[in-house]
Amino acid sequence: MKVLKFKYKLIIPVVVVLSLIIVFPLLYAFYVSFHKYLLITGLGKFIWFGNYIKGTDQEFLNASYNTLILTASVVTLEFMIAFGLGLPLNRKDLKFKNLYFIILTIPITIPPIGVGLIWRLILHPTLGVANHLLQLFRMPPQAWFGNPKAALLTIIGVDIWHETSLMIMILLAGLTSLPESPFEAATIDGAGPFQKFWYITVPLMKPVITVALIIRMIAALKTYDLIYICTKGGPGTKTQTLSYLVYRKGFRFLDMGIAASLSYLLLGMILVATLVIIKTIGKRE
Amino acid sequence: MQKSGRKKISLFVAHLVLIVGCITILFPLIWVARSSFASKVVIYQSPPPLFFPLSLENYKEIFMTLPFHLYLFNSLYVATMTTIASLIVGIFAAYSFTRFKTGGSLVPFGILATQMLPPVTLVIPFFLIARIANLFNTRILLIVVYMTFNLPFIIWILIGFFQGIPVSLEEAAITDGCTRSQALFYVILPISLPGILSAALFSFVLSWNEFLFALILSGKEARTLPVGVSALVSQEGILIGPVCAVIMLLILPMVIFYFLAKHFMVHGLTLGAIK
């Protein structure tokens, strides 16, 4: 009996705190999403699914499209690049390993705001160093963030520069903890490097890979900071992600009801996407 | 001969790939660092010169335009307090989850699942409630709000660490006459110090870099560094020199912190991730 009481006493703070700061606000947001709530007029009347219907307009579909493209590109590319850098980094015969690791993981310590500022400067159409270099190689200068066709691609590129380091950290941690014996046995059996990678490394790394993909995907679906500092969703709405759309609806258009409903749709998407990934990777077994 | 030749080539390729990666990362950073020490004349020169006399005028200018010492203090204060609060609650919770499997697998999973929440979803109710409760633009509000992502994250990391500590240690302490809580304080905590420190570090970094909550929920008084930095850009277009200096301010503390604690971070991620 004494042991039971102790373990419950230990989690009382956590339960209380999280109920107050997560459960309660979530319920309140859910409540608001079914009411008309403009910031100027305050909490209005109950309008069933009015906000949800009004909120899922063309702009919402566009933002969803942007968010999905961004997430899919960013997760796959960062994963591949991180593996591409993690495997050489894991080699036993590699000198300067620590130096490489330190440099390669610097970007993730920089807040997205800092990263956005850095790249806004470098990719500035007239004053930025990137276009200077392009002109040096006789290539045409780009509008980068200002180019409606390439703005999203530019954001993807900047995000890759920033977040790949996190993937490298996670994947490398997994790679270094792999046991030696399967590889040695494979070498004796005459397996080449590709076979070793595909039939030993990948299956053994599956839990780490799953964690890395899920973490990165959830974060990518929530992308906001980078958009705010680099393009504010522009040009037009070409780089507007769902998080940014919710921000605009709530704090620029001051319609809290719609913002709340859209934010719940975003939450729903994240849940669905996570379940899909877990089921897909689980099925492969 | 063939095998060692192939090995040499693959090693060379490995170094090449890594070096390309490093250059991609270092070039923008070095460029920004270089520009932060450049006077206005040098910055707008085209083509940009490689060597020039260093100047501190950009750094002086940013401290004059906006109250960055206040922003710095706010960021430091909020990050520290929220980390301490989250650690206190989190250590007890993680210990309970690890040793006693409290709440089965559902409760810990639920806590972890909160990481899926988009900040925008939480920001709206917090904003509305803060206005009503007159907590808008206060550091306390930020400290509490930041716990929404720090606390679950810290619990996740600490569960990984606590799982690696053998139960025999506490059992030995109890047979020596300790109560459960004494065993926790005098035996487990000292041993899991690296884990606690790495969890604290992560929490601090997450809080320091946080942007959305601070943007919406803070006015002039409680503003944190990232928000202050973004205000600089909107107000004056792009003043390259000062912005570069600001970027250096923003990232230098983190980079230093990171160098000091690199050891703990990899350890923390390994245990947390694999579990």
Side-chain angles (χ1 to χ4, degrees):
Chain A
M1 276 310 290
K2 263 201 185 143
V3 175
L4 268 175
K5 278 192 189 161
F6 184 66
K7 74 174 177 179
Y8 286 125
K9 268 196 280 186
L10 284 179
I11 62 166
I12 288 179
V14 128
V15 172
V16 167
V17 168
L18 287 183
S19 309
L20 277 176
I21 65 178
I22 292 191
V23 177
F24 176 62
L26 275 183
L27 290 175
Y28 186 62
F30 194 62
Y31 174 76
V32 165
S33 74
F34 290 105
H35 292 73
K36 185 176 163 80
Y37 196 141
L38 298 176
L39 206 54
I40 334 169
T41 58
L43 187 61
K45 56 180 185 163
F46 184 71
I47 54 171
W48 292 99
F49 287 97
N51 285 324
Y52 287 88
I53 297 177
K54 228 175 115 190
T56 48
D57 53 4
Q58 184 60 37
E59 196 178 5
F60 172 78
L61 290 175
N62 177 56
S64 307
Y65 175 73
N66 289 339
T67 310
L68 288 172
I69 297 273
L70 174 73
T71 305
S73 321
V74 143
V75 172
T76 18
L77 289 172
E78 286 169 12
F79 178 73
M80 294 196 298
I81 297 178
F83 235 125
L85 288 171
L87 285 174
L89 208 50
N90 192 36
R91 292 177 65 123
K92 287 190 207 13
D93 50 354
L94 191 81
K95 286 195 223 164
F96 306 122
K97 190 183 288 198
N98 278 328
L99 184 62
Y100 281 133
F101 182 74
I102 291 179
I103 296 181
L104 285 176
T105 50
I106 285 183
I108 198 63
T109 59
I110 309 177
I113 296 303
V115 173
L117 275 182
I118 293 176
W119 284 99
R120 258 188 89 164
L121 287 179
I122 295 187
L123 297 177
H124 195 269
T126 45
L127 302 168
V129 123
N131 279 344
H132 271 130
L133 288 175
L134 279 184
Q135 284 173 320
L136 216 64
F137 291 110
R138 309 266 175 82
M139 296 204 278
Q142 302 290 325
W144 303 108
F145 290 127
N147 182 350
K149 294 213 180 111
L152 193 58
L153 277 174
T154 315
I155 294 269
I156 290 176
V158 174
D159 192 277
I160 292 179
W161 185 91
H162 182 223
E163 298 280 352
T164 308
S165 352
L166 183 63
M167 282 282 220
I168 295 180
M169 271 182 165
I170 299 180
L171 290 179
L172 191 65
L175 283 174
T176 45
S177 64
L178 290 179
E180 299 257 335
S181 31
F183 292 101
E184 288 167 4
T187 319
I188 296 177
D189 285 345
F194 286 121
Q195 290 168 310
K196 277 194 240 180
F197 177 72
W198 196 248
Y199 292 112
I200 307 180
T201 315
V202 171
L204 283 180
M205 286 275 287
K206 211 196 272 203
V208 177
I209 293 180
T210 317
V211 166
L213 286 179
I214 292 185
I215 290 181
R216 191 61 208 116
M217 182 193 73
I218 293 180
L221 286 169
K222 302 194 257 177
T223 305
Y224 169 85
D225 298 15
L226 205 59
I227 306 294
Y228 181 89
I229 199 71
C230 288
T231 58
K232 298 263 189 310
T237 54
K238 279 281 177 223
T239 56
Q240 184 164 248
T241 56
L242 282 170
S243 277
Y244 195 80
L245 176 65
V246 173
Y247 158 76
R248 261 181 79 217
K249 291 283 185 182
F251 297 96
R252 292 266 166 266
F253 295 176
L254 305 179
D255 188 333
M256 290 291 161
I258 289 196
S261 62
L262 290 182
S263 73
Y264 260 92
L265 289 177
L266 175 60
L267 177 60
M269 273 191 220
I270 295 182
L271 286 170
V272 168
T274 312
L275 284 173
V276 166
I277 290 246
I278 294 183
K279 286 277 157 79
T280 325
I281 299 202
K283 258 196 196 148
R284 288 241 191 101
E285 309 223 42
Chain B
M1 262 313 281
Q2 236 185 358
K3 252 207 178 141
S4 88
R6 249 198 292 160
K7 224 184 181 195
K8 278 203 179 140
I9 295 182
S10 86
L11 188 61
F12 176 72
V13 169
H15 276 282
L16 197 63
V17 163
L18 290 171
I19 289 180
V20 167
C22 288
I23 293 182
T24 319
I25 290 177
L26 288 178
F27 179 71
L29 297 174
I30 294 180
W31 185 260
V32 167
R34 163 246 184 226
S35 304
S36 75
F37 291 109
S39 64
K40 279 207 179 59
V41 179
V42 173
I43 286 190
Y44 291 97
Q45 248 178 5
S46 168
L50 272 180
F51 296 107
F52 50 83
L54 298 178
S55 125
L56 283 178
E57 69 177 54
N58 293 321
Y59 290 91
K60 283 192 225 154
E61 191 169 330
I62 52 173
F63 279 107
M64 286 197 293
T65 19
L66 287 172
F68 274 106
H69 44 280
L70 176 65
Y71 299 159
L72 235 141
F73 173 74
N74 286 335
S75 278
L76 262 170
Y77 182 75
V78 170
T80 314
M81 299 309 264
T82 188
T83 300
I84 293 178
S86 303
L87 273 178
I88 295 178
V89 178
I91 289 179
F92 291 141
Y95 185 69
S96 179
F97 290 135
T98 325
R99 286 291 182 251
F100 307 114
K101 304 273 188 286
T102 327
S105 47
L106 202 58
V107 173
F109 180 74
I111 293 185
L112 278 180
T114 60
Q115 297 288 50
M116 285 200 266
L117 288 171
V120 265
T121 315
L122 284 175
V123 119
I124 294 175
F126 270 118
F127 177 72
L128 297 173
I129 297 174
R131 278 170 86 232
I132 301 175
N134 216 10
L135 281 173
F136 187 72
N137 194 21
T138 56
R139 281 185 287 259
I140 289 274
L141 178 64
L142 287 180
I143 293 175
V144 169
V145 171
Y146 281 10
M147 285 180 74
T148 58
F149 52 85
N150 281 333
L151 187 53
F153 199 72
I154 284 184
I155 292 181
W156 183 45
I157 295 186
L158 286 180
I159 287 183
F161 269 98
F162 286 158
Q163 276 175 336
I165 300 180
V167 197
S168 43
L169 284 169
E170 290 131 273
E171 289 171 356
I174 293 181
T175 46
D176 280 349
C178 283
T179 63
R180 277 273 174 189
S181 32
Q182 280 173 327
L184 174 59
F185 278 109
Y186 294 116
V187 177
I188 303 300
L189 283 189
I191 294 198
S192 46
L193 212 52
I196 295 180
L197 282 179
S198 92
L201 195 69
F202 265 113
S203 161
F204 190 87
V205 172
L206 280 177
S207 311
W208 180 275
N209 293 349
E210 203 286 324
F211 183 72
L212 178 58
F213 286 129
L215 175 72
I216 309 266
L217 299 173
S218 72
K220 259 193 291 183
E221 279 76 37
R223 189 168 289 166
T224 58
L225 199 57
V227 183
V229 166
S230 73
L232 191 76
V233 177
S234 330
Q235 270 182 338
E236 307 175 338
I238 305 253
L239 290 184
I240 298 189
V243 172
C244 282
V246 151
I247 294 176
M248 296 302 285
L249 274 187
L250 197 57
I251 70 181
L252 229 43
M254 283 301 107
V255 178
I256 295 176
F257 236 35
Y258 170 65
F259 272 115
L260 290 177
K262 172 186 84 92
H263 207 54
F264 293 135
M265 271 189 162
V266 179
H267 195 53
L269 272 171
T270 320
L271 283 181
I274 300 208
K275 293 309 173 186

